[in-house]
Amino acid sequence: MNQVNRVAIVGGTHGNEFTGAYLIEKFAQFPDLITRQSFETVTLLANPNAFAAGRRYIEKDLNRCFLQQDLQDPTLNSYEELQAKSIQNTLGSNRNKQADFILDLHSSTANMGLTIILVNSHPLNLQLAAYLSQISPLVRIYRCSFKSIAENPFVNSLCELGFAIEVGPIAQGILKATLFQQTEELVYAVLDYLEQFNQDKIASTNETLILYDHLSVVDYPKQQDGKIFGMIHPELQDKDYQALNPGDPIFITFDNKTIVYEGVSTVWPIFINEAAYYEKGIAMCLTQRQQINI
């Protein structure tokens, strides 16, 4: 990729994540904020019905509807499945409108700070992520790579370039000015970087990048009937991106018994106690911290 011609900024993929949705409305009202000379920038409110209802989704999580096999399946016709096909037609398969770079804006109830979520290791994505982490100490890079695009159910599967921005902590269905402004500044930094890239003004440097690579997910302690009987331990709550060592407290049961982490090595948990993940059986994601040269 020598030239980025079309950048898509997506918000409201989850309707109750207001930061991205309202940024999309702001950019639509003030398009000069996201206009750059060397490429076209378009905006998309991905799930307008869920946003209007203040819900994560109407029938199905939209950000799990972009598997290639599902997009090609005519029998899948829930609201979000049809919406995903429409978005794919707009951003992924229409040659006149196809996006070269997709920036998907999300928010989290977990203490994620400003997280860049990579779904691949394209050099430009890594270089841009490294740049963002250099200009802001709040930025963390979480790599949740898939073996192939066909296995990626996210909006970002529609384009090799781009990533999601996940900010938190913030409750569902509200705005928090600080996170709104920090996300907005990140968006401008991304656009400015791509402008410099198109003008061949990115200096070639040997940089290092700290990555948090996805390892696995952990569910809450549950009874045989599926009901949880414990919660995140107070010592772990809000400790996203901090080391969790074998033997450290991880859950506390409703009768005040501590459950410790029984892994064999240190991990770095993220998305700790994310509200939207209760239905998915995820109490946290475990990652491995590493430093790479790019």
Side-chain angles (χ1 to χ4, degrees):
M1 173 67 67
N2 297 318
Q3 179 83 16
V4 174
N5 296 312
R6 197 163 193 258
V7 175
I9 305 174
V10 180
T13 303
H14 295 131
N16 58 1
E17 296 178 6
F18 280 4
T19 302
Y22 278 101
L23 273 172
I24 293 302
E25 292 200 341
K26 176 173 180 174
F27 296 150
Q29 186 177 358
F30 304 103
D32 287 351
L33 293 172
I34 55 173
T35 299
R36 300 295 183 272
Q37 289 187 349
S38 68
F39 56 84
E40 177 190 12
T41 308
V42 298
T43 60
L44 176 67
L45 182 63
N47 199 332
N49 286 8
F51 176 52
R55 295 167 51 184
R56 182 175 174 87
Y57 55 81
I58 300 300
E59 295 183 80
K60 185 177 181 181
D61 190 332
L62 177 59
N63 212 32
R64 303 298 184 271
C65 291
F66 289 89
L67 287 173
Q68 285 187 357
Q69 64 191 45
D70 292 345
L71 292 170
Q72 297 167 4
D73 187 342
T75 67
L76 299 179
N77 56 11
S78 71
Y79 166 71
E80 273 83 11
E81 287 163 341
L82 293 176
Q83 192 70 6
K85 293 172 183 178
S86 175
I87 293 170
Q88 191 238 4
N89 182 58
T90 300
L91 300 181
S93 61
N94 187 325
R95 202 165 79 177
N96 295 326
K97 297 181 178 180
Q98 186 166 355
D100 297 317
F101 189 102
I102 296 177
L103 190 61
D104 189 24
L105 307 179
H106 288 262
S107 58
S108 171
T109 63
N111 189 24
M112 296 292 284
L114 308 179
T115 292
I116 306 300
I117 302 181
L118 299 177
V119 294
N120 62 47
S121 297
H122 190 286
L124 179 57
N125 288 338
L126 290 174
Q127 291 160 9
L128 177 49
Y131 169 74
L132 295 174
S133 64
Q134 287 171 1
I135 65 173
S136 174
L138 297 175
V139 169
R140 299 288 183 270
I141 313 301
Y142 167 45
R143 184 166 61 180
C144 183
S145 295
F146 296 89
K147 294 179 181 178
S148 68
I149 291 177
E151 297 180 11
N152 181 351
F154 303 149
V155 173
N156 281 105
S157 70
L158 299 177
C159 187
E160 189 174 27
L161 295 181
F163 42 73
I165 296 177
E166 186 89 46
V167 302
I170 183 170
Q172 297 172 346
I174 70 166
L175 289 167
K176 188 182 288 185
T178 300
L179 286 177
F180 186 95
Q181 293 167 344
Q182 290 172 340
T183 305
E184 184 177 5
E185 290 303 315
L186 270 186
V187 170
Y188 298 149
V190 169
L191 297 177
D192 291 341
Y193 186 95
L194 295 176
E195 179 83 343
Q196 295 290 306
F197 172 80
N198 279 350
Q199 297 172 357
D200 199 24
K201 294 182 179 179
I202 303 296
S204 179
T205 58
N206 294 321
E207 298 180 4
T208 60
L209 175 64
I210 294 176
L211 281 176
Y212 295 85
D213 272 320
H214 182 84
L215 293 174
S216 61
V217 299
V218 177
D219 197 357
Y220 293 91
K222 289 182 176 177
Q223 302 169 348
Q224 288 187 346
D225 62 3
K227 293 182 179 179
I228 65 172
F229 63 87
M231 50 199 158
I232 301 294
H233 196 280
E235 292 183 19
L236 182 59
Q237 181 63 47
D238 299 323
K239 300 296 178 60
D240 300 73
Y241 293 109
Q242 297 188 32
L244 178 68
N245 301 301
D248 286 349
I250 186 170
F251 296 112
I252 187 167
T253 66
F254 296 148
D255 57 355
N256 293 323
K257 293 179 181 177
T258 294
I259 298 174
V260 301
Y261 173 59
E262 297 181 347
V264 296
S265 61
T266 300
V267 292
W268 284 260
I270 64 173
F271 281 113
I272 298 171
N273 208 16
E274 163 61 50
Y277 286 177
Y278 274 73
E279 69 178 30
K280 300 182 187 299
I282 298 174
M284 69 196 73
C285 299
L286 302 183
T287 72
Q288 180 180 22
R289 187 181 188 270
Q290 64 170 321
Q291 182 172 297
I292 65 170
N293 295 317
I294 59 173

